[in-house]
Amino acid sequence: MSGTVEIARDGGVLTLTMNRPEKKNALTDAMYGAMADAMEEGESDPAVRVAVIRSEGDLFCAGNDIGDFLASSGRVGEANVFRFIRLLGQFTKPLLAGVQGRAVGIGTTMLLHCDYVVLAQDAKLTTPFVGLGLVPEAASSLLLPGAIGHQRAFAMLAMGDAMEADAALAAGLANQVVANADLQGATTEAAKRIAALPPGAVQATKALMRDPGMVAAKMEAEIEIFAHRLQSDEAREAFTAFMEKRAPDFSKY
């Protein structure tokens, strides 16, 4: 375990488990660093054929730990969150996710980089960036409209609308919806099935399906604007309101 992230390997399957359920698996800089380290090692290890992201508890991921994120926001270009995001776009091996409960912010946008996604029946995907005075990240401003269309993507990315499991399946954001009790088993079964395939052919197929240069370019454009937005009065009001547990007031902007 490193930084409340558990790393395990089993038969060619590398599993990254967010294990901070008491904080709704909100991600700290240390947790991002642990997952990025594991992905880098998995990328270079030929024994690793597939990687899985999952979490403990009732909620997949509440997004960034706000306090930790604000503490590290002065070094946006160096923060582990963006290192992890860049690795999502660069990872050449199959990436899977098993999602239960809420998946907020990065909890949803990381799924756009996964090649196979299993959702529990209670999964709910949300991307509340604009409500925090920010913009989307992880190339989601490119990948989400491409997956579900501009209008539905705008409702999620700009308006913060949630998408529940069955709707996400119908929209093409997931491969399966299963009972919560079956989530880990279904995710593991899919990972083992992929791990048994010819690895070179699998990785070549994945590479043909997406333009990594386009994804990387969109990520860098988002990161630049995200860094600027972090310093904005709107973001300051949003984060202050969050910490003070009140509704933000954007009427003066």
Side-chain angles (χ1 to χ4, degrees):
M1 182 186 298
S2 176
T4 62
V5 173
E6 295 180 354
I7 310 298
R9 299 191 188 196
D10 180 22
V13 178
L14 170 68
T15 301
L16 289 62
T17 302
M18 297 175 282
N19 190 9
R20 199 187 180 209
E22 73 282 0
K23 294 294 185 180
K24 302 180 181 179
N25 291 314
L27 289 161
T28 64
D29 190 67
M31 292 172 72
Y32 280 119
M35 291 197 293
D37 288 345
M39 290 180 68
E40 287 179 343
E41 292 173 8
E43 178 70 30
S44 62
D45 186 349
V48 172
R49 297 194 171 198
V50 60
V52 176
I53 300 176
R54 60 175 301 274
S55 66
E56 294 290 350
D58 297 329
L59 188 152
F60 179 66
C61 177
N64 289 313
D65 181 296
I66 295 297
D68 186 84
F69 181 72
L70 291 176
S72 61
S73 62
R75 51 185 183 87
V76 168
E78 302 173 6
N80 279 317
V81 56
F82 295 111
R83 179 174 159 234
F84 173 70
I85 284 172
R86 290 181 175 108
L87 283 167
L88 288 172
Q90 298 165 3
F91 199 67
T92 64
K93 299 180 181 182
L95 185 61
L96 285 74
V99 180
Q100 77 282 6
R102 295 289 297 272
V104 181
I106 186 67
T108 287
T109 59
M110 73 169 74
L111 304 181
L112 302 175
H113 297 274
C114 291
D115 304 289
Y116 199 97
V117 175
V118 183
L119 301 179
Q121 289 175 329
D122 69 345
K124 183 178 290 188
L125 314 183
T126 56
T127 51
F129 301 107
V130 168
L132 291 171
L134 303 174
V135 294
E137 31 77 319
S140 58
S141 61
L142 170 71
L143 299 177
L144 191 59
I148 68 174
H150 174 89
Q151 288 77 12
R152 284 191 291 185
F154 184 85
M156 290 187 71
L157 294 176
M159 300 169 69
D161 285 3
M163 183 173 285
E164 297 189 359
D166 287 340
L169 178 65
L173 295 181
N175 298 83
Q176 297 183 67
V177 174
V178 301
N180 283 55
D182 298 330
L183 179 63
Q184 184 168 348
T187 307
T188 299
E189 180 181 357
K192 288 182 175 179
R193 179 181 170 192
I194 296 170
L197 296 171
V202 171
Q203 291 175 43
T205 299
K206 173 173 177 170
L208 288 166
M209 293 175 68
R210 182 169 289 172
D211 184 343
M214 185 180 297
V215 170
K218 181 61 70 171
M219 283 184 176
E220 296 309 316
E222 289 172 344
I223 288 171
E224 181 178 354
I225 298 171
F226 195 101
H228 175 74
R229 294 298 313 166
L230 268 177
Q231 307 305 317
S232 70
D233 290 339
E234 291 175 352
R236 189 172 299 109
E237 165 62 14
F239 283 111
T240 299
F242 179 88
M243 300 302 284
E244 294 177 353
K245 298 182 179 180
R246 61 172 174 83
D249 179 9
F250 300 120
S251 62
K252 56 188 174 182
Y253 303 116

